[in-house]
Amino acid sequence: MEKILITGGAGYIGSHTAVALYEAGYQPIIIDDFSNSEKSAVDGLKKITGKETPCYEGDCNDVFLMDKIFTENQLSGVIHFAAFKAVGESTQLPVKYYKNNINSLLVLLETMEKHGVENLVFSSSCTVYGQPDQLPVKESTPRKDAESPYGNTKKICEDILSDQVKSKARLSAIALRYFNPIGAHASSHIGELPIGVPSNLVPFVTQTGAGIRKELTVFGNDYDTPDGTCVRDYIHVMDLAEAHVRAITYLKDKKSPFYDWFNVGTGKGNTVLEVIETFEKVSGKPLTYTVGPRRPGDVVKVWADTEKINHELGWTARFSLEDALRDSWNWQLNLSGNSSS
Ligand code: WQD
């Protein structure tokens, strides 16, 4: 089985991508420092796949550890998730974000070059578009000044990939610009594990539904949108995982040097109130919420044009907002020790 290294592979998207890699006949290898993930995710992979996933505990910035992994494993490619990703925290601790998110990519690229591993899928974000002038947003839309140091690290990393490929290095790379990942594997053995109070909408909704949070605050309902609340493109994490498998497989046929980027979304936008409504439908529970002030830095509305990934990678999102919220809710119930069945 061809081996694919997943950096941050015990994380939310990384662990779901490991499942999708197994399903496509690959052997995932994980490196994770568990700074924003838990070892229970690796146990969850065993429950789903019946297989022990090789897992190196450590930091992608550790040159010696990365060299050891590449020496011990004949890798066909790498999917690079490992990064700090809390937008709010990044404005408080910019140096921590620039140092970790950028240096880990540089160490990875040097190690790949040294070991002759050419294929890389990079985890980027629609945050690079800021508030697009036109919607749905296309890959040809110029990137804007990032709203946060976190978003800027994604832009800088994309530029690093582009420059490395232009230098004729032996590299074939794809950046996947995620919209809003939500949901969990249908088994409820893996899912999102936010540390502390969730800053993202869906985990806050499910924790409110489970009684862990008293009520949800909707950050503003006076925007220029159908119901006044912000619009996002919420994509099921298993659809997102599948997009990574398509991308790494596509790269295997691409002669290096090669670089391109793709939006990964459903192509549909939903408001915050529509998320709440859909959650109430799938959970059968009313959700307690109040409307509060706008959150600084929020983009009003963004959703993906998915033509390019549909046609070039042959990938289309399969799951609906309802599917994703149902899987998020079942995961939350599993975490809280109940089950919906
Ligand atoms: C969605 C909507 C909020 C919480 C961020 C990052 C992005 C990516 C995904 C890393 C917004 C509203 C939220 C709450 C609310 N992260 N909301 N009450 O901001 O679109 O994207 O997370 O890759 O890079 O920017 O996602 O889930 O935080 O917010 O009303 O308690 O829900 O205002 O309109 P966002 P989000």
Side-chain angles (χ1 to χ4, degrees):
M1 287 162 90
E2 290 187 68
K3 291 181 176 180
I4 304 292
L5 176 64
I6 313 177
T7 72
Y12 176 38
I13 304 166
S15 55
H16 287 81
T17 301
V19 173
L21 283 168
Y22 275 120
E23 286 169 354
Y26 289 103
Q27 172 61 59
I29 309 283
I30 288 174
I31 173 174
D32 205 304
D33 63 4
F34 299 107
S35 62
N36 190 23
S37 58
E38 293 183 12
K39 295 192 176 160
S40 59
V42 185
D43 303 335
L45 285 180
K46 176 96 189 281
K47 288 180 191 154
I48 295 168
T49 66
K51 296 175 179 160
E52 288 293 343
T53 305
C55 181
Y56 292 81
E57 180 169 359
D59 184 342
C60 295
N61 291 288
D62 180 340
V63 176
F64 301 104
L65 174 60
M66 291 297 278
D67 197 52
K68 173 179 158 67
I69 294 169
F70 278 71
T71 304
E72 293 178 353
N73 298 279
Q74 187 64 38
L75 298 172
S76 293
V78 183
I79 302 178
H80 184 46
F81 291 105
F84 295 143
K85 60 154 217 158
V87 172
E89 186 192 43
S90 78
T91 56
Q92 311 299 322
L93 300 168
V95 170
K96 173 184 171 185
Y97 273 69
Y98 285 112
K99 191 162 173 231
N100 181 61
N101 291 8
I102 294 168
N103 192 58
S104 57
L105 177 62
L106 296 176
V107 169
L108 175 61
L109 288 172
E110 286 183 325
T111 311
M112 288 177 72
E113 181 79 14
K114 177 180 173 187
H115 290 267
V117 177
E118 299 190 10
N119 302 320
L120 171 61
V121 175
F122 173 68
S123 163
S124 191
S125 168
C126 65
T127 199
V128 303
Y129 294 117
Q131 175 59 64
D133 301 330
Q134 280 188 318
L135 288 167
V137 62
K138 294 176 181 298
E139 288 84 350
S140 54
T141 303
R143 299 174 306 167
K144 284 204 177 144
D145 291 346
E147 309 275 333
S148 67
Y150 158 77
N152 207 23
T153 66
K154 291 301 179 184
K155 275 183 72 177
I156 292 166
C157 287
E158 287 190 359
D159 292 343
I160 290 168
L161 293 176
S162 172
D163 289 345
Q164 179 70 345
V165 167
K166 281 183 199 149
S167 75
K168 302 280 181 275
R170 289 175 303 158
L171 178 67
S172 293
I174 282 177
L176 294 181
R177 292 176 177 171
Y178 307 163
F179 283 70
N180 287 58
I182 63 169
H185 189 265
S187 67
S188 295
H189 289 316
I190 54 175
E192 193 168 6
L193 284 169
I195 295 176
V197 180
S199 59
N200 293 137
L201 176 66
V202 169
F204 203 107
V205 163
T206 58
Q207 289 190 7
T208 304
I212 298 168
R213 305 293 161 201
K214 197 163 86 42
E215 67 180 7
L216 169 77
T217 303
V218 173
F219 296 144
N221 67 349
D222 57 353
Y223 287 104
D224 174 21
T225 64
D227 60 24
T229 63
C230 293
V231 178
R232 294 289 184 277
D233 184 331
Y234 294 98
I235 175 168
H236 195 296
V237 65
M238 281 313 295
D239 276 329
L240 184 55
E242 183 57 39
H244 288 79
V245 177
R246 292 297 174 88
I248 200 76
T249 303
Y250 179 85
L251 285 175
K252 287 195 313 179
D253 305 332
K254 280 283 166 198
K255 229 176 117 6
S256 68
F258 171 84
Y259 175 60
D260 208 349
W261 55 94
F262 296 87
N263 290 338
V264 194
T266 65
K268 193 176 169 317
N270 283 108
T271 68
V272 174
L273 292 183
E274 285 169 342
V275 170
I276 293 170
E277 226 169 271
T278 309
F279 172 77
E280 291 179 326
K281 180 181 171 197
V282 301
S283 66
K285 295 166 72 90
L287 192 82
T288 314
Y289 71 91
T290 57
V291 178
R294 294 180 171 192
R295 180 172 68 173
D298 262 344
V299 160
V300 182
K301 43 191 164 189
V302 63
W303 63 93
D305 180 303
T306 59
E307 282 291 298
K308 186 176 175 184
I309 193 169
N310 297 155
H311 291 108
E312 293 193 32
L313 298 194
W315 172 93
T316 303
R318 293 177 296 151
F319 297 108
S320 67
L321 176 67
E322 194 169 321
D323 296 326
L325 288 171
R326 179 176 301 109
D327 289 336
S328 286
W329 180 232
N330 287 335
W331 164 247
Q332 181 67 60
L333 290 173
N334 185 46
L335 280 181
S336 319
N338 316 312
S339 76
S340 60
S341 47

